């Protein structure tokens, strides 16, 4: 999506506590603010999501593009993110699901939002599923990338 389109959507989201009009009327989106992998600057992206218990699932579909979206590459380097949902804003840790867990979560996403299956068919890359874990309001020190990487390595080797 063009940057100006996202900027307009983000402004509308923030002005109306997450309620959108036009082609997105009735949709529930979130805003994900990441830290640029190379630039270190904050970037905000509107995304669809699926609730999975107390966590949110987002997919790096990029509309079926053959390239991972920038926000996905950002969370691999800097997993500490900010999530805006409606009028609520909180800190979260973003963890990319792998292997069988990724497949299971992608199936949940497709069951709730079948359009993601079309995005997967449009590309040869495996669409990543990222789990957003909300941090407690009193926890101001999210794990750094080494902690998140260590958790992933333990999962893979178990």
């Amino acid at each position: 999506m063009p940057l100006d389109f996202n900027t307009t959507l983000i402004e509308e989201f923030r002005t109306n506590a997450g309620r959108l009009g036009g082609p997105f009327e009735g949709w529930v989106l979130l805003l994900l603010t990441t830290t640029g992998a190379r630039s270190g600057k904050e970037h905000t992206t509107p995304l669809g999501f699926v609730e999975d218990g107390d966590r949110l699932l987002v997919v790096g579909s990029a509309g079926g593009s053959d390239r991972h979206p920038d926000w996905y590459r950002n969370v691999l380097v800097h997993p500490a993110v900010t999530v805006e949902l409606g009028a609520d804003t909180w800190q979260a840790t973003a963890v990319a699901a792998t292997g069988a867990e990724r497949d299971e979560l992608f199936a949940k996403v497709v069951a709730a939002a079948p359009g993601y299956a079309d995005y997967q068919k449009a590309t040869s890359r495996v669409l990543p599923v990222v789990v957003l874990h909300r941090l407690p309001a009193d926890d101001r020190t999210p794990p750094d990338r080494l902690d998140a990487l260590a958790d992933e390595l333990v999962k893979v080797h178990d």
Side-chain angles (χ1 to χ4, degrees):
M1 282 183 227
L3 184 59
D4 56 338
F5 178 81
N6 278 352
T7 300
T8 303
L9 192 60
I10 291 165
E11 288 172 2
E12 181 180 1
F13 183 102
R14 289 178 173 157
T15 299
N16 299 308
R19 290 185 306 279
L20 302 169
F24 293 101
E25 187 165 358
W27 289 30
V28 180
L29 300 177
L30 62 77
L31 299 182
L32 182 69
T33 300
T34 62
T35 301
R38 291 179 299 190
S39 70
K41 295 179 182 177
E42 286 193 344
H43 300 278
T44 301
T45 307
L47 295 172
F49 68 94
V50 170
E51 291 183 57
D52 185 42
D54 61 350
R55 59 193 191 166
L56 302 177
L57 309 176
V58 291
V59 177
S61 64
S65 166
D66 288 330
R67 185 172 181 262
H68 289 308
D70 291 340
W71 69 261
Y72 173 68
R73 288 190 300 279
N74 292 346
V75 301
L76 293 178
V77 176
H78 302 287
V81 299
T82 301
V83 177
E84 295 174 63
L85 183 56
D88 230 0
T89 300
W90 68 88
Q91 302 303 305
T93 300
V95 179
T98 58
E101 179 190 26
R102 179 262 169 217
D103 297 343
E104 176 187 321
L105 294 177
F106 188 72
K108 284 184 179 184
V109 169
V110 169
Y116 285 103
D118 295 331
Y119 292 145
Q120 183 60 79
K121 288 177 192 170
T123 183
S124 60
R125 73 180 171 93
V126 175
L127 299 183
V129 177
V130 174
V131 182
L132 302 175
H133 299 276
R134 185 177 186 148
L135 295 174
D138 61 346
D139 185 355
R140 296 292 180 224
T141 310
D144 63 19
R145 184 62 201 144
L146 292 177
D147 290 342
L149 178 60
D151 290 344
E152 288 302 308
L153 288 172
V154 168
K155 278 194 251 178
V156 168
H157 291 287
D158 281 348

